Amino acid sequence: MFMPHPMIALWAVPRSVSTAFERMMMERGDFTVFHEPFSMTYYYSRERVSHRFSHEPGDPKNDFDSVMGSLIQAADRSPVFFKDMAYHLGPRLDRSVLERFINVFLIRDPAQALPSLHHVWPDFTWEEAGYQALHRAFQLAREITAKTPFVMDSTDLLEHPQAVVKAFCENVGIPFLPEALEWDAGHRPEWGVWGSQGWHDDAASRRGFEKKPKKYLSVDENEHLASAYAKARPLYEELYAHRFQVES
């Protein structure tokens, strides 16, 4: 399907500074930005995979085809950017979906991401950890283009935001706007239900990609964390080997 404007998809794992990256894309002003659009399909649609939040009948406007239709309609008017977790695609994670997008990836060491996720959702599932679906999406994106997709690591992003964002822009073919690396703190209406649940309080406090160290349980202090970490680590390491590396 031809669209006059591109759709850039940033696939991430939870707690990977992805909302800060999204906030930077909002600050640019040249993209229509969607916040985790397929999360609504995964948790709130008639097709939902998870009943974490409700056992009530799902809303048709959150069904996959409706969400995808909204993205396509927006791309008729302007370039589109969205960030999401690959696991939110559920059974729809396949080539026919990913080939519609310019796919880029944001990863984070599970020793850091999983304790942060556990702090918010102590009962997170292995699927909600995000690593398995992200790895699968990376493989599919590489098959679609016959090229290695662009991968960013969150530590690199926080330590060298200008270099990493500039490389991202070059990879997806958009101008680098250094002024977008800083923004006003505060919640954004685009965050919807996730903002109202306090999920993005940390992102709302940011004015850029500054580091915000937090103290959580380590992965070896909790059995659930340890189990998830053992499965996530090799997936992360494989993607990490393909990350954009900042020249020293």
Side-chain angles (χ1 to χ4, degrees):
M1 176 183 295
F2 172 78
M3 288 173 291
H5 300 287
M7 294 192 289
I8 300 174
L10 175 67
W11 303 108
V13 293
R15 318 308 284 175
S16 60
V17 201
S18 60
T19 304
F21 196 94
E22 174 190 86
R23 183 65 185 83
M24 180 271 298
M25 293 298 294
M26 292 177 182
E27 194 68 14
R28 291 178 59 95
D30 55 351
F31 277 78
T32 299
V33 177
F34 289 82
H35 178 75
E36 300 184 15
F38 296 107
S39 67
M40 303 306 291
T41 302
Y42 190 86
Y43 290 109
Y44 291 103
S45 73
R46 295 177 299 182
E47 308 160 337
R48 63 188 165 198
V49 176
S50 172
H51 288 83
R52 172 179 288 279
F53 297 108
S54 175
H55 287 273
E56 297 298 319
D59 191 328
K61 78 174 186 298
N62 296 325
D63 289 353
F64 177 86
D65 288 341
S66 179
V67 171
M68 181 63 82
S70 296
L71 295 174
I72 292 171
Q73 287 179 8
D76 284 337
R77 301 185 296 271
S78 74
V80 166
F81 172 87
F82 70 87
K83 74 99 170 183
D84 215 326
M85 312 302 144
Y87 83 83
H88 287 156
L89 289 175
R92 306 301 287 266
L93 177 54
D94 58 31
R95 290 179 57 133
S96 67
V97 171
L98 294 187
E99 66 187 5
R100 296 173 180 263
F101 311 127
I102 298 172
N103 299 286
V104 296
F105 295 83
L106 178 60
I107 59 175
R108 189 183 185 191
D109 187 337
Q112 299 172 330
L114 292 175
S116 179
L117 177 60
H118 179 268
H119 180 74
V120 182
W121 285 350
D123 61 341
F124 70 87
T125 66
W126 165 236
E127 186 167 63
E128 288 172 328
Y131 287 88
Q132 188 168 4
L134 190 72
H135 184 267
R136 170 69 173 154
F138 174 84
Q139 291 177 316
L140 289 170
R142 184 163 54 179
E143 291 174 5
I144 290 166
T145 62
K147 298 179 181 178
T148 300
F150 188 73
V151 179
M152 299 172 282
D153 186 82
S154 65
T155 298
D156 296 329
L157 179 60
L158 292 174
E159 292 181 352
H160 308 282
Q162 180 158 321
V164 174
V165 173
K166 185 176 182 180
F168 158 79
C169 292
E170 292 174 352
N171 182 269
V172 300
I174 62 176
F176 172 58
L177 304 180
E179 62 271 23
L181 296 177
E182 296 181 353
W183 53 81
D184 293 333
H187 281 272
R188 296 287 301 194
E190 294 92 339
W191 295 346
V193 296
W194 304 112
S196 65
Q197 294 174 5
W199 185 260
H200 298 311
D201 287 351
D202 180 72
S205 71
R206 290 182 178 274
R207 298 180 182 272
F209 289 107
E210 72 271 21
K211 295 181 180 179
K212 288 181 169 288
K214 297 287 182 66
K215 179 63 177 177
Y216 302 117
L217 288 176
S218 66
V219 294
D220 57 2
E221 291 181 290
N222 178 277
E223 184 176 350
H224 183 42
L225 282 173
S227 175
Y229 177 77
K231 292 185 286 188
R233 186 71 198 182
L235 300 174
Y236 166 75
E237 289 179 346
E238 184 173 336
L239 295 178
Y240 185 78
H242 296 287
R243 80 196 186 283
F244 167 74
Q245 298 185 49
V246 179
E247 294 183 3
S248 57

